[in-house]
Amino acid sequence: TMTQFLRKMDTYTTFQAELWRQSGVRWSAGNHWRYGLIRPLLRFGQKYLYLQGFRDGFLGFFAGIMAAVSEFLAYVKVKVEDAE
């Protein structure tokens, strides 16, 4: 279900944010480009173009968008967890 999907995405983005924090990723102008824009765009391109998600129509597009959103949310969580 969508609820399960969102819970799983929350778990995975929290895990990714923790890995990035441990490896020294911090909220900064340079990282905004890398983790906030470039990585999400590359993730979308990977899912939609490289893995041929476009063949699945809307569901492939949705999967690509959600993969990009996951990358972005993980970066946002780096900041949120630093603030706590």
Side-chain angles (χ1 to χ4, degrees):
T1 66
M2 186 57 80
T3 302
Q4 292 170 327
F5 173 78
L6 292 174
R7 282 188 189 138
K8 193 176 283 191
M9 188 168 82
D10 180 46
T11 301
Y12 291 147
T13 56
T14 301
F15 180 72
Q16 183 65 49
E18 185 59 33
L19 287 176
W20 283 343
R21 280 179 14 119
Q22 290 175 1
S23 67
V25 173
R26 296 290 179 255
W27 191 260
S28 68
N31 283 338
H32 291 347
W33 285 102
R34 181 176 181 192
Y35 293 95
L37 181 67
I38 294 171
R39 284 183 63 103
L41 288 175
L42 289 175
R43 177 66 73 172
F44 174 80
Q46 176 192 30
K47 293 287 186 183
Y48 192 68
L49 300 173
Y50 182 72
L51 296 176
Q52 299 182 0
F54 59 86
R55 291 178 178 243
D56 295 327
F58 176 75
L59 290 178
F61 179 75
F62 182 74
I65 291 293
M66 293 310 293
V69 167
S70 293
E71 286 287 320
F72 181 75
L73 285 178
Y75 180 59
V76 170
K77 286 184 178 189
V78 168
K79 173 61 175 171
V80 171
E81 292 173 6
D82 279 346
E84 292 177 350

